[in-house]
Amino acid sequence: MSKFEFSKPQSWVHEVLMPSFAQDWPLLPVERAEGAYLYTVDGKRILDFTSGIAVANVGHGHPRVLAAAQAQMMKFVHSSVGITLHETLLQLTQELAKVTPGNLDMFFFGNSGAEAIEGSLKLARYVSGRPGIIAFDGGFHGRTYGAASVTSVKSKYRKHYEPFIPGVYFAPYAYPYRCPLGQDDEAVIRWSLDGIQKIFDRLIQPDQVAAILVEPVQGEGGYVVPPAGFLPALRQICDEHGILLILDEVQTGFGRTGQMFAAQTFGVQPDIMAIAKGIANGFPLGATVARRELMSQWPAGSHGTTFGGNPIACAAGLAVLDIIREENLLENCRVMGARLLQGFQALQAKYPVIGDVRGVGLMIAMELVQPGTKEPNGKAAMAVLEGCLERGLLGYMAGLKGQVIRLIPPLIVTGEQVDEALAILDQSLAAI
Ligand SMILES: Cc1ncc(COP(=O)(O)O)c(C=O)c1O
C-alpha cells in the first residue's frame, strides 16, 4: 500500500513529482470528470472552466469520443507510422483537411503542442533554407528546446537553459491594453510592425528569415486578442519577403475562437499551422500541417517520431470533428463566449481592480490591476481564483505576473453554467 494518500496532494506531490511543475495551482485530486464538471475525491463537483487548458473542448468524457477510442483500442493500439499504417490515420487526414484553413492538407503527427511547434520550425527552416525565426514578446510555444527557444512569456521558463537555438528574434506583440503608442488598432499594429522592421534593419535581413511564428491570440501571455488587422498585416510582410507564416493554433484551434481555427476567425491564411490540445479531447495528439507543395519537400528520414498519430488518439480525433459539427459547437462557442464576455464587462464596471476584459469565442479574460493604475495585480487574481474554487468554479491564471484570470470552458457549456460562473466570480471579486 502506498504511504501517501491521493486525496491529500500536499502530502505526496512534493515527494514524488518534480517541483518544476508540482508548484502549479490548485493540485486538485480528481476522481472523474463528465461534461463541464470535475468530481474530486472528497465528493465536490467543480465547474471546470479550464477544460484541461483548452483540451476537453467537447466536454470531459464525451461518450462518442470514448466509444471511438475504445473500439480502436480493441483493434490496434500502436502503429509506428511508416513501419505500419492504420486506417484512422488516413481518415483523420482527410477529415482535418476539410476544416483546416485554405489548402493545408499535409500532416506530420506528433503527440503534443510542443512537438507540433518543433515540426513547424524544422519544416520552415528545411524548405526555406533560411535560419531566422521571428517570434513575439509574451509568446508561449512549449517546453522542448526549439519551442522554449521561441518562447518569451516569462524568463523563468528560460533560466539556466541557455543557450537556446540561435536565429530567433522577438518582436512586440499587438497587445492593445499595454501598447505604449495607445490602444487604437492602428497604433497597436504599428507598434508591432515597427518592431519587426527594426529586426530587419538591425539584426537579420528579411531574405534570411524562414518564418514568422505567432499565436493568433496569446494564451499564456494573458489571452491577448490583437486587433483584427494584425495577422493580415503579418501575412503581407511574409508575402513581401517570401517568409513562411506559422500560426500556433495549439490553444486557439478546434473551435476555441468560434471558428474551427483562429485563422478563419481572423481571415488569414497560414503556410504552416501547429495544432494539438483540443484535437483529440485529451488523448495525446498534435500535428504540424502545411500545404502539400511545401511539406512534400521534406525528404524521407528528415523528421519523424515513434508514437505520433497514435491509432486511439486518431479515432478520438475523428469523433471530435463529428461532435463539433453535429452538436453545432462553433455556434454555441460564439453565443456563450459573447454571454461570458458581456458578464465580464458588467463586472469590470463594478470592480476597479479589473483593468481590462477581452476575449474571442470561449477564450475570455480579465486583467487585474492596482485600482487606478495599470500595475499588474497577480495577488488579487490568485485570491479571486481561490475564492472561485471554494465556490465550485475552476478558472486559471495567465500573464507575466499571473494578473490575468482566463476562463476556458468547454464548447458544450450552457447558458446556466456561464451564469453560474459569473455569479461565483462576482462573489469572489466582492470578497477581496
Ligand atoms: C499556444 C501554445 N503553444 C504550444 C503549447 C505547448 O503545448 P504542449 O503543452 O502540448 O506541449 C501550448 C501549451 O499550453 C500553447 O498554449
Side-chain angles (χ1 to χ4, degrees):
M1 209 174 118
S2 167
K3 61 180 171 161
F4 300 120
E5 250 185 83
F6 175 64
S7 62
K8 298 194 174 77
Q10 292 303 343
S11 73
W12 58 266
V13 161
H14 301 284
E15 301 289 325
V16 297
L17 295 181
M18 75 287 193
S20 69
F21 92 154
Q23 314 284 339
D24 213 352
W25 177 87
L27 300 175
L28 203 61
V30 169
E31 192 167 61
R32 68 187 183 89
E34 193 179 330
Y37 293 101
L38 303 171
Y39 297 85
T40 63
V41 284
D42 51 357
K44 285 199 205 102
R45 188 180 82 160
I46 309 279
L47 193 50
D48 179 11
F49 273 33
T50 67
S51 304
I53 318 194
V55 170
N57 283 3
V58 302
H60 291 289
H62 194 294
R64 288 179 64 183
V65 175
L66 299 187
Q70 198 171 25
Q72 179 59 42
M73 186 171 74
M74 302 314 286
K75 288 197 259 181
F76 191 18
V77 169
H78 168 70
S79 153
S80 195
V81 172
I83 297 181
T84 55
L85 291 168
H86 56 95
E87 195 172 356
T88 39
L89 184 72
L90 172 63
Q91 288 168 349
L92 187 60
T93 60
Q94 292 180 337
E95 291 308 311
L96 276 174
K98 289 181 193 163
V99 296
T100 50
N103 47 3
L104 300 191
D105 57 359
M106 197 172 252
F107 300 83
F108 158 69
F109 286 104
N111 307 284
S112 66
E115 205 178 344
I117 293 292
E118 299 292 336
S120 303
L121 297 175
K122 286 176 77 176
L123 175 67
R125 278 187 169 167
Y126 197 99
V127 299
S128 70
R130 302 177 181 185
I133 305 285
I134 294 179
F136 290 88
D137 293 339
F140 180 82
H141 301 286
R143 303 297 200 146
T144 51
Y145 248 105
S149 301
V150 289
T151 287
S152 66
V153 64
K154 288 177 187 165
S155 55
K156 73 174 176 187
Y157 293 176
R158 299 170 62 92
K159 188 178 174 186
H160 293 323
Y161 294 126
E162 301 215 30
F164 287 101
I165 64 166
V168 176
Y169 305 84
F170 292 101
Y173 193 78
Y175 188 163
Y177 184 61
R178 297 203 175 271
C179 174
L181 303 184
Q183 289 197 43
D184 65 281
D185 287 5
E186 198 244 305
V188 175
I189 294 171
R190 184 152 47 87
W191 166 242
S192 179
L193 298 195
D194 285 354
I196 294 174
Q197 189 57 48
K198 205 147 101 187
I199 291 170
F200 290 162
D201 290 342
R202 294 184 186 274
L203 298 170
I204 182 168
Q205 302 214 337
D207 66 359
Q208 291 305 297
V209 175
I212 293 180
L213 166 68
V214 65
E215 289 166 89
V217 176
Q218 279 191 335
E220 282 273 308
Y223 273 23
V224 181
V225 185
F230 175 57
L231 294 174
L234 295 184
R235 176 73 269 173
Q236 207 178 334
I237 293 173
C238 287
D239 289 343
E240 235 170 82
H241 300 290
I243 296 170
L244 297 164
L245 180 63
I246 306 173
L247 289 191
D248 178 345
E249 292 249 21
V250 168
Q251 188 152 168
T252 52
F254 296 92
R256 185 54 52 193
T257 66
Q259 299 288 343
M260 191 56 88
F261 294 101
Q264 292 136 347
T265 300
F266 289 96
V268 70
Q269 180 60 43
D271 299 296
I272 302 173
M273 201 167 67
I275 56 178
K277 285 194 185 278
I279 187 170
N281 213 50
F283 289 89
L285 187 65
T288 303
V289 197
R291 293 191 309 279
R292 192 166 304 152
E293 83 224 37
L294 194 73
M295 199 176 257
S296 59
Q297 296 173 44
W298 222 3
S302 51
H303 193 54
T305 173
T306 298
F307 288 108
N310 169 270
I312 300 172
C314 286
L318 278 167
V320 165
L321 293 176
D322 285 344
I323 294 163
I324 291 177
R325 190 173 46 243
E326 288 166 27
E327 295 187 11
N328 212 7
L329 295 187
L330 299 182
E331 170 73 10
N332 194 58
C333 173
R334 293 191 289 269
V335 173
M336 292 304 145
R339 187 166 175 152
L340 193 55
L341 185 59
Q342 237 174 33
F344 269 40
Q345 283 157 350
L347 292 173
Q348 187 184 19
K350 204 165 152 186
Y351 298 104
V353 73
I354 304 176
D356 191 34
V357 301
R358 53 191 180 240
V360 56
L362 279 168
M363 298 179 84
I364 306 293
M366 57 174 69
E367 180 156 351
L368 301 197
V369 292
Q370 301 292 347
T373 74
K374 282 192 171 184
E375 196 60 39
N377 195 341
K379 235 170 126 178
M382 198 62 233
V384 173
L385 282 169
E386 276 170 354
C388 286
L389 188 57
E390 275 164 30
R391 295 172 176 85
L393 170 71
L394 180 64
Y396 203 50
M397 70 293 263
L400 178 61
K401 308 278 184 192
Q403 79 276 21
V404 177
I405 294 176
R406 56 172 151 165
L407 295 188
I408 329 166
L411 311 184
I412 52 152
V413 73
T414 64
E416 253 175 34
Q417 289 164 339
V418 166
D419 295 346
E420 186 189 342
L422 287 167
I424 290 176
L425 254 176
D426 195 353
Q427 291 159 21
S428 306
L429 280 156
I432 64 150

